Amino acid sequence: MAAVISKKEAIALLKHWQNQGHSLLSLFRVQNGSRGTLMISLPDYVSNQWLTVKGDYASYELALAAFGQWLDDLLAGKLL
């Protein structure tokens, strides 16, 4: 089972990848969760495995909107 991280940890992870020069838009994936929902996963730079971000989304569009908000928070310097 994949490790679960918080939104704050996800934003910090995205900041790490950004500092390494990676395109943030290519780093996430939306996958099927439990109960017919979708979840967002990000790659971990230490374990080289995918980490699941806490939260379920009813549609792909809602998951993309959440990821977009994380990018906005990152650009605004918010690490909630």
Side-chain angles (χ1 to χ4, degrees):
M1 178 175 203
V4 178
I5 60 174
S6 69
K7 177 183 169 184
K8 182 178 179 179
E9 292 169 314
I11 293 171
L13 184 59
L14 289 171
K15 184 167 182 60
H16 166 79
W17 286 117
Q18 181 184 43
N19 290 340
Q20 297 298 315
H22 293 275
S23 169
L24 299 181
L25 294 177
S26 66
L27 287 176
F28 78 104
R29 69 180 180 189
V30 176
Q31 61 190 33
N32 290 327
S34 61
R35 303 174 310 278
T37 60
L38 299 171
M39 300 179 325
I40 296 174
S41 294
L42 299 170
D44 182 16
Y45 61 92
V46 175
S47 69
N48 202 29
Q49 295 188 12
W50 288 90
L51 304 174
T52 300
V53 182
K54 201 178 294 181
D56 293 326
Y57 304 94
S59 70
Y60 191 78
E61 291 78 13
L62 291 174
L64 290 178
F67 186 74
Q69 183 61 55
W70 300 348
L71 295 180
D72 289 345
D73 291 347
L74 174 62
L75 293 174
K78 296 180 192 175
L79 288 179
L80 308 173

